[in-house]
Amino acid sequence: MKYISTRGQAPSLSFEEVVLTGLASDGGLYVPEKLPEFSREEIASWAGLSYQELAFKVMAPFVDGEIPDEDLRGLIDKAYQSFRHQGIAPLVQTGHNEWILELFQGPTLAFKDFALQFLGHLLDYILQKRDQKVVVMGATSGDTGSAAIEGCRRCENIDIFILHPHNRVSNVQRRQMTTVLEDNVHNIALDGNFDDCQNMVKASFADQSFLPEGRQLVAVNSINWARIMAQIVYYFYASLALGGPHRPVSFSVPTGNFGDIFAGYLAKRMGLPIDQLVIATNSNDILHRAISSNDHSKQELHHTLSPSMDIMVSSNFERMLFDLYDRDGAAIAQLMEDFKSGAMHLSDSALSRARELFASHKVDDDRMLEVIRDVFENTEYLLDPHTAIGVDAARATRKDHSIPMVCLATAHPAKFPEAVQKAGQEEDPKLPHHMADLFDREERYEVLPNDAETVHEFMRGHLAC
Ligand SMILES: *Cc1c(COP(=O)(O)O)cnc(C)c1O
């Protein structure tokens, strides 16, 4: 299996190479040259498989023998051992044929654990084989940082440095990162905002000369292909649990950078019968505007009660555009060049294809709070704010009530007590047992000025492996 860039000018890479690479050298994102496809019979034969067994079936064709089957199975088993619920991705019913897919049973209570638990083990395995050590560097405004740290904390060949804006992430989110005390885990609280953190990371990737000889930076943000790949699995898992592939299933996905829902689109292309794919956005609605009125333009950032979806531009949408434009790399390069002005317009055929594939809906904070209240009143099930947006979008766009609608629950409500309180819940939602003492644990982080030299010197001086 070869991986190619969406802009057509970068060398193609093998699976292992693509896992170690962030952006392609032409600025594009890597995608598989050809998607594996499964027949209905084959998918049907997977009914009853455990999550781990199913993950192997879905992911093995992408790895294409570069990792021996036994080793790949081992990596998958290790990745999902850290989940609290034996079902890994359990389903809960909240209405007629309406289901919540709980993707928050991993160690940091957000769906990002599905990909990052796997990616940590996968990276460490590839590095061990190559006798190589790397530095993972990333910026976070919340969920990604803690999931990446949990994924890398036990890796022997990785130092991980995560930058968060000092005093601007929630207490739960900060503590999930800073109470991980392994020597290879380094939290930097940057004096600045999230953009400053991101710019620091970007500049560091662009010039890595501050690292010792032989070390390179690796990105674990959602442009890393392995993350998308690992997320395809739960679409198959949910469908099989609800009578697929013999009947179609629909999905509603709280969307920020378009990684999660892109995985759903890939599942459909790979042969899974999916009826509707609903893009659910908060007030940062660039994707909803693009689909509903061909307005893909950057607008100012809104700070909402669903902060993990607060984006101005969805980085993974370029992967979707590549398919919408018949995989014409030159066309995508041009489109992205146009977008430097702050706006792009899709061609008629790309737009009509996008509308066939996706429904979209935007949900503001007030409406989101109503949905948390409504679902709690009717089912005593407490949604987190991101998931509530998905539920509302599902209800607003649903066409056929005989088809199961699966709303992806991307986070546990205890991660976002502010929204839950605003929705009228008297008590804070309880943290799950394994995190009950989060506020008593020792923290370690370094506050640094927004200055590249200082940050780089800190990094050089703290490499542990
Ligand atoms: C990251 C995140 C999202 C958005 O996922 P994308 O793949 O970026 O679209 C939604 N909800 C939660 C809780 C998240 O952490």
Side-chain angles (χ1 to χ4, degrees):
M1 173 80 74
K2 282 277 165 206
Y3 291 82
I4 57 171
S5 164
T6 49
R7 299 195 195 174
Q9 296 294 317
S12 62
L13 299 181
S14 69
F15 175 73
E16 290 195 357
E17 287 165 343
V18 90
V19 174
L20 291 170
T21 307
L23 280 183
S25 57
D26 57 5
L29 303 180
Y30 277 103
V31 289
E33 188 168 42
K34 196 171 172 307
L35 272 185
E37 278 175 45
F38 306 119
S39 67
R40 272 232 186 145
E41 294 69 47
E42 189 171 10
I43 298 170
S45 76
W46 299 341
L49 291 188
S50 70
Y51 190 89
Q52 291 86 335
E53 289 165 332
L54 183 67
F56 176 79
K57 298 280 186 199
V58 173
M59 296 200 288
F62 291 106
V63 178
D64 201 18
E66 275 183 59
I67 295 174
D69 286 356
E70 272 329 288
D71 293 358
L72 180 59
R73 285 182 199 277
L75 294 173
I76 293 168
D77 285 345
K78 270 199 274 185
Y80 298 106
Q81 245 163 32
S82 58
F83 280 54
R84 307 181 295 290
H85 193 298
Q86 293 264 301
I88 309 296
L91 283 161
V92 175
Q93 192 164 8
T94 46
H96 169 62
N97 238 344
E98 180 188 271
W99 305 81
I100 302 289
L101 182 64
E102 291 189 339
L103 300 177
F104 52 69
Q105 302 288 351
T108 72
L109 314 182
F111 84 98
K112 292 185 170 70
D113 288 325
F114 273 85
L116 284 161
Q117 284 292 304
F118 177 68
L119 180 58
H121 292 297
L122 175 66
L123 271 176
D124 212 33
Y125 172 91
I126 295 173
L127 294 167
Q128 190 73 38
K129 200 158 79 173
R130 297 181 168 211
D131 194 17
Q132 192 184 343
K133 296 192 190 296
V134 300
V135 177
V136 165
M137 185 178 189
T140 191
S141 55
D143 293 341
T144 306
S146 56
I149 286 172
E150 279 294 335
C152 292
R153 66 190 292 182
R154 295 186 185 88
C155 297
E156 289 175 12
N157 304 292
I158 300 174
D159 274 287
I160 177 166
F161 292 84
I162 297 293
L163 282 63
H164 70 264
H166 187 37
N167 287 333
R168 295 191 201 198
V169 298
S170 79
N171 288 334
V172 176
Q173 288 179 324
R174 188 192 69 248
R175 284 186 158 271
Q176 281 189 314
M177 299 191 280
T178 56
T179 57
V180 178
L181 300 177
E182 272 88 354
D183 291 343
N184 67 326
V185 173
H186 316 276
N187 280 289
I188 297 175
L190 199 72
D191 246 329
N193 57 27
F194 176 59
D195 272 348
D196 297 325
C197 295
Q198 246 180 342
N199 289 335
M200 180 71 69
V201 171
K202 260 188 214 158
S204 307
F205 272 84
D207 179 4
Q208 304 187 13
S209 59
F210 68 92
L211 289 172
E213 191 71 21
R215 293 283 168 109
Q216 69 176 83
L217 292 180
V218 167
V220 295
N221 53 10
S222 68
I223 61 171
N224 190 303
W225 165 253
R227 282 186 60 180
I228 307 273
M229 177 182 81
Q231 290 171 193
I232 301 170
V233 178
Y234 46 72
Y235 289 90
F236 280 88
Y237 191 66
S239 161
L240 283 161
L242 293 170
H246 304 297
R247 61 170 178 168
V249 173
S250 294
F251 292 93
S252 179
V253 187
T255 296
N257 272 321
F258 204 76
D260 204 3
I261 194 162
F262 185 66
Y265 157 77
L266 293 177
K268 181 170 179 160
R269 289 270 318 275
M270 290 162 72
L272 188 69
I274 295 180
D275 187 43
Q276 288 184 278
L277 275 171
V278 181
I279 299 171
T281 77
N282 65 20
S283 300
N284 297 285
D285 63 346
I286 184 168
L287 291 171
H288 172 60
R289 283 184 283 113
I291 303 276
S292 57
S293 51
N294 201 3
D295 169 19
H296 187 276
S297 65
K298 238 193 242 187
Q299 291 188 352
E300 73 180 274
L301 189 72
H302 300 276
H303 292 280
T304 72
L305 293 169
S306 48
S308 302
M309 292 156 62
D310 288 350
I311 47 92
M312 288 194 290
V313 176
S314 300
S315 48
N316 273 294
F317 194 54
E318 181 169 342
R319 287 186 157 120
M320 190 65 232
L321 290 170
F322 188 54
D323 280 8
L324 294 175
Y325 280 81
D326 290 319
R327 309 203 121 203
D328 178 351
I332 299 306
Q334 184 58 52
L335 208 56
M336 298 314 291
E337 187 59 33
D338 296 346
F339 189 50
K340 283 186 182 156
S341 72
M344 71 163 85
H345 294 281
L346 305 193
S347 68
D348 289 348
S349 73
L351 185 63
S352 66
R353 276 191 199 177
R355 285 175 175 168
E356 262 167 53
L357 285 163
F358 300 101
S360 72
H361 192 69
K362 162 194 175 172
V363 183
D364 66 19
D365 275 349
D366 287 343
R367 177 69 198 142
M368 177 275 291
L369 293 172
E370 274 176 46
V371 175
I372 293 184
R373 247 175 256 135
D374 176 68
V375 170
F376 191 79
E377 264 166 34
N378 288 300
T379 64
E380 292 197 19
Y381 188 79
L382 187 59
L383 299 172
D384 105 288
H386 306 81
T387 308
I389 287 172
V391 169
D392 194 45
R395 291 177 177 179
T397 58
R398 198 163 173 192
K399 290 196 301 237
D400 181 346
H401 286 256
S402 72
I403 294 174
M405 172 60 84
V406 178
C407 304
L408 271 52
T410 51
H412 190 290
K415 258 191 127 158
F416 300 96
E418 189 194 348
V420 170
Q421 268 172 12
K422 285 205 166 125
Q425 292 292 316
E426 280 166 18
E427 282 177 45
D428 276 359
K430 273 213 180 70
L431 285 165
H433 191 66
H434 77 106
M435 274 176 40
D437 65 342
L438 185 67
F439 283 86
D440 304 325
R441 293 183 199 165
E442 180 188 346
E443 286 190 86
R444 191 183 71 216
Y445 62 97
E446 190 81 10
V447 182
L448 292 179
N450 181 15
D451 168 67
E453 235 171 85
T454 313
V455 170
H456 292 164
E457 197 180 296
F458 175 83
M459 291 175 70
R460 245 192 334 267
H462 285 79
L463 294 174
C465 63

